[in-house]
Amino acid sequence: MCQLLGMNANTPTDVMFSFTGFATRAEEHKDGFGIAFFEGCGVRLLVDAQSARASPVADMVRRYPIKSRHIIAHIRKATQGAVALENTHPFTRELWGRYWVFAHNGDLKGFAPRLHGAFRPVGSTDSERAFCWLMQELAKAHASVPPIDELTATLRELVPPIAAHGTFNFMLSNGQALWAHCSTHLHHIVRQHPFAHASLQDEDVTVDFAELASPRDRVAVVVTEPLTRDETWTPFAPGELKVFVDGAPLDGPPPP
Amino acid sequence: MCQLLGMNANTPTDVMFSFTGFATRAEEHKDGFGIAFFEGCGVRLLVDAQSARASPVADMVRRYPIKSRHIIAHIRKATQGAVALENTHPFTRELWGRYWVFAHNGDLKGFAPRLHGAFRPVGSTDSERAFCWLMQELAKAHASVPPIDELTATLRELVPPIAAHGTFNFMLSNGQALWAHCSTHLHHIVRQHPFAHASLQDEDVTVDFAELASPRDRVAVVVTEPLTRDETWTPFAPGELKVFVDGAPLDGPPPP
């Protein structure tokens, strides 16, 4: 199984601490990693078909504080599709003059929708197929970028028919919000004033966010399994789709 | 003015030597750089809105031998569009289940085509607008990826109406070939057996390709201004569109 990491913040924030903890798990997720940073409307996508432990690209991410308000990262253990760059998450497409970034954890069986629109997979994963279908259906449902709550409402209709094919934990962002859907495992935390210490679950690294953040900063982190051992992570319910804006979840309907 | 660098090879080849010479010119082209590597069908796009001299991303490119058969790089001096990641070349889009990479040097005046299709600019450059229009018109002209010579024929029809708006030196690749069009300045060289020494124009760096390459390797390099002082670079004629496959130019009609 792959693992997902997402970050949504009200001010550009680096993800070095969380990515360090996340990349530690790459030992058993050795078939590539990728991380996408929105910087304004632009996207910086760093991908590698080797493990996040060995990759010079991942090494740069750990050492170079790239600041962003919306980040999606993925470490891959291949289930469908060969180990190759075109099968490495996150995937990006442009729709309505905005970039969209998508990463998926799980396995979809027999998901072969008709793709007659402008979005075709380049690689051979079920994940990219699901992303292309989501983009195609979003493009049908709206003429241009709709408000976040309308997009969320459309996603709540589009996701269940895909999720019926298997496990569909995913993260999606267009640089305005972060959508996260849980089939099986996903947790989130909001870090805000008063900031505390946090110690990584898998490594002997502790950070004092109070030293790093200003009182108005707010950051939501969403991840497959909790990254720290001294913070309280909130698990998603199966079938839950949350949307994060400015570092916090928006209220939505309760999970089905 | 920006500068362009393209590479097309018959075997995956790193571009460290050429990129080192190219990045040296970033002093006066300080508004960002980008480099796209095809790896199979996948694309690794490294971009930064800071100069290739200062960027940690460029530093990684100089030290990490990423091998590819199709590379397009660009250093930017902003003429249209703010200095921001979304305005940094190369740009990428997906069409027919393939990624396309595009970078432009020049300035187009009053180029405001109708973009009614599936390709919209995210940033504010004339370059991305031209790329979106090219993608839209290619999508209209062919139902799926056509053979290289048919694509070239379509491009020969699409390019002149854009080039009429100003300077349109560009490079385009879909991971099968490299297309390069010259309005004003573009040069190419083919490096093949017997390989010689080459010394960078702008830096005190010499490389002996015979030590690095096998006798069957063949690499075409296309660049705004010659990178080395002891090789013979062939200038493009104004209005010339060349297509490179397996490290050499395909014969085409003479420039108009």
Side-chain angles (χ1 to χ4, degrees), chain B residues 57-191:
Chain B
V57 183
D59 186 52
M60 190 188 70
V61 176
R62 277 189 295 262
R63 289 183 299 116
Y64 177 31
I66 300 170
K67 295 204 171 197
S68 170
R69 291 184 51 216
H70 310 269
I71 295 175
I72 293 179
H74 182 271
I75 47 180
R76 178 162 188 249
K77 181 164 166 50
T79 52
Q80 292 188 29
V83 178
L85 198 65
E86 67 267 24
N87 290 335
T88 304
H89 309 223
F91 302 101
T92 69
R93 289 292 187 277
E94 174 265 315
L95 172 61
W96 304 314
R98 278 207 158 260
Y99 292 121
W100 297 74
V101 169
F102 174 88
H104 167 219
N105 151 345
D107 209 6
L108 301 170
K109 304 286 188 200
F111 179 67
R114 275 190 65 199
L115 294 172
H116 41 76
F119 304 94
R120 304 280 167 104
V122 174
S124 54
T125 61
D126 52 345
S127 311
E128 192 186 9
R129 209 149 55 227
F131 177 41
C132 287
W133 187 79
L134 279 178
M135 288 289 99
Q136 168 182 298
E137 299 302 310
L138 284 178
K140 277 189 213 166
H142 304 276
S144 60
V145 194
I148 288 168
D149 56 345
E150 286 185 30
L151 259 169
T152 307
T154 307
L155 285 171
R156 285 195 204 286
E157 292 172 11
L158 296 177
V159 168
I162 307 178
H165 287 267
T167 307
F168 195 45
N169 304 302
F170 76 80
M171 295 193 193
L172 175 74
S173 180
N174 67 349
Q176 296 177 312
L178 174 73
W179 289 268
H181 176 261
C182 173
S183 281
T184 52
H185 301 287
L186 222 47
H187 299 76
H188 92 272
I189 194 169
V190 174
R191 292 182 181 135

Side-chain angles (χ1 to χ4, degrees), chain A residues 39 41-48 50 56-57 60 64 85-86 93-94 97-99 118-122 128, chain B residues 39 41-48 50 56-57 60 64 85-86 93-94 97-99 118-122 128:
Chain A
E39 294 177 50
C41 296
V43 170
R44 185 196 300 275
L45 177 64
L46 298 172
V47 287
D48 215 342
Q50 49 181 308
V57 184
M60 190 188 70
Y64 176 31
L85 198 65
E86 67 267 24
R93 289 293 185 279
E94 174 265 314
R98 278 205 158 261
Y99 293 121
F119 303 94
R120 304 280 168 105
V122 174
E128 192 186 9
Chain B
E39 294 177 51
C41 296
V43 171
R44 186 195 300 275
L45 176 64
L46 298 172
V47 287
D48 216 342
Q50 50 180 307
V57 183
M60 190 188 70
Y64 177 31
L85 198 65
E86 67 267 24
R93 289 292 187 277
E94 174 265 315
R98 278 207 158 260
Y99 292 121
F119 304 94
R120 304 280 167 104
V122 174
E128 192 186 9

Side-chain angles (χ1 to χ4, degrees), chain A residues 122-252:
Chain A
V122 174
S124 54
T125 61
D126 53 345
S127 311
E128 192 186 9
R129 208 150 55 227
F131 178 42
C132 287
W133 187 79
L134 279 178
M135 288 289 99
Q136 168 182 296
E137 299 301 311
L138 285 178
K140 277 189 214 164
H142 304 277
S144 60
V145 193
I148 289 168
D149 56 344
E150 286 185 31
L151 259 169
T152 307
T154 307
L155 286 171
R156 286 195 203 286
E157 292 173 10
L158 297 176
V159 168
I162 307 178
H165 287 267
T167 307
F168 195 45
N169 304 302
F170 76 81
M171 296 194 192
L172 175 73
S173 180
N174 66 349
Q176 296 177 313
L178 174 73
W179 288 269
H181 177 262
C182 173
S183 280
T184 52
H185 300 287
L186 222 48
H187 299 75
H188 92 272
I189 195 171
V190 173
R191 293 182 181 135
Q192 60 190 345
H193 186 79
F195 290 96
H197 283 77
S199 309
L200 286 179
Q201 193 84 254
D202 313 74
E203 289 215 352
D204 196 15
V205 177
T206 296
V207 70
D208 180 0
F209 288 114
E211 284 178 12
L212 300 173
S214 91
R216 279 185 309 203
D217 293 355
R218 191 172 59 185
V219 181
V221 177
V222 187
V223 72
T224 302
E225 296 295 341
L227 288 169
T228 53
R229 51 177 188 261
D230 43 10
E231 295 179 297
T232 305
W233 293 79
T234 306
F236 282 55
E240 193 173 12
L241 177 75
K242 277 187 207 278
V243 51
F244 296 85
V245 177
D246 291 332
L250 291 187
D251 285 339

